[in-house]
């Protein structure tokens, strides 16, 4: 189930960029045209921590970690606000449930397209993958050649808490 949650998040990637601010006159402005180009992943990881609080006050914590490697992925961002993503990468899942650790590795593929919108004023980029629900990531270290993204979502209620984080690094090819 967590594998599907992770893959779904990848397919719905939406990114918020927080541009690096420095006094360098050669700094690259974050615009629709400045991000246009081909990128690959430089890293990909996620964590999902679920905490169940029982009526007697005891807690059960389940942790699901994902780490990507062997990236052969191309993300093409076009200045007209469209993108396409194709390729493969390896995912290693480490699931810890009730103290039991399960590690699995599999080859994963991505193949789709969508649209994006850059908001230069607040440094956001919203990706809508295959016209599905979009997600919003914070991004740091935007240089024109690479950027780092982070998405965090928290749910709670009824004795259940869930914190999901995904981090993806992009590097221009």
């Amino acid at each position: 189930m967590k594998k599907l949650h992770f893959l779904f998040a990848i397919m719905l990637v939406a990114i918020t960029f927080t541009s690096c601010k420095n006094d360098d006159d050669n700094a690259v402005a974050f615009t629709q045209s400045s991000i246009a180009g081909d990128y690959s992943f430089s890293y990909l990881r996620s964590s999902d921590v679920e905490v169940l609080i029982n009526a007697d006050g005891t807690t059960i914590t389940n942790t699901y970690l994902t780490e990507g490697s062997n990236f052969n992925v191309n993300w093409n961002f076009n200045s007209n606000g469209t993108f396409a993503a194709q390729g493969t990468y390896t995912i290693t899942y480490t699931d810890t449930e009730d103290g039991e650790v399960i590690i699995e590795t599999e080859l994963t593929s991505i193949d789709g397209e969508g649209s994006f919108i850059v908001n230069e004023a607040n440094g956001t980029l919203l990706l809508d993958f295959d016209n599905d629900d979009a997600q919003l990531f914070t991004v740091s270290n935007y240089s024109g050649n690479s950027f780092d993204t982070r998405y965090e979502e928290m749910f709670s209620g009824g004795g259940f808490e869930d914190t999901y984080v995904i981090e993806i690094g992009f590097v221009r090819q």
Side-chain angles (χ1 to χ4, degrees):
M1 181 67 173
K2 294 302 164 191
K3 291 179 194 176
L4 293 176
H5 183 67
F6 175 76
L7 293 174
F8 184 70
I10 292 297
M11 298 300 288
L12 299 176
V13 169
I15 303 172
T16 304
F17 285 82
T18 305
S19 299
C20 293
K21 295 193 190 292
N22 61 35
D23 295 329
D24 184 359
D25 290 336
N26 296 322
V28 178
F30 175 65
T31 66
Q32 189 96 354
S33 61
S34 72
I35 65 165
D38 292 324
Y39 294 83
S40 186
F41 295 142
S42 57
Y43 64 86
L44 177 104
R45 57 186 167 253
S46 73
S47 65
D48 189 359
V49 178
E50 298 175 346
V51 178
L52 177 63
I53 303 167
N54 296 315
D56 65 1
T58 61
T59 62
I60 298 172
T61 302
N62 298 322
T63 304
Y64 309 94
L65 304 175
T66 306
E67 185 79 30
S69 61
N70 304 318
F71 301 114
N72 184 20
V73 176
N74 182 55
W75 282 75
N76 177 262
F77 293 95
N78 298 302
S79 59
N80 68 359
T82 62
F83 72 89
Q86 295 88 27
T88 61
Y89 52 97
T90 301
I91 290 290
T92 301
Y93 302 98
T94 304
D95 298 347
T96 306
E97 297 184 39
D98 296 329
E100 181 182 348
V101 177
I102 301 167
I103 299 174
E104 297 178 15
T105 301
E106 67 180 48
L107 184 64
T108 303
S109 64
I110 186 170
D111 185 12
E113 56 190 24
S115 61
F116 68 93
I117 300 170
V118 169
N119 182 323
E120 296 174 36
N122 65 6
T124 61
L125 172 68
L126 181 66
L127 292 180
D128 188 356
F129 210 106
D130 291 328
N131 296 314
D132 213 333
D133 293 329
Q135 294 175 320
L136 196 58
F137 281 59
T138 60
V139 174
S140 58
N141 303 320
Y142 178 74
S143 71
N145 290 318
S146 64
F147 54 91
D148 301 317
T149 67
R150 179 182 170 91
Y151 171 79
E152 186 169 342
E153 189 171 7
M154 297 159 101
F155 307 94
S156 64
F160 180 78
E161 297 174 2
D162 186 5
T163 302
Y164 179 71
V165 176
I166 184 170
E167 298 172 315
I168 303 170
F170 288 90
V171 62
R172 192 178 294 270
Q173 296 181 352

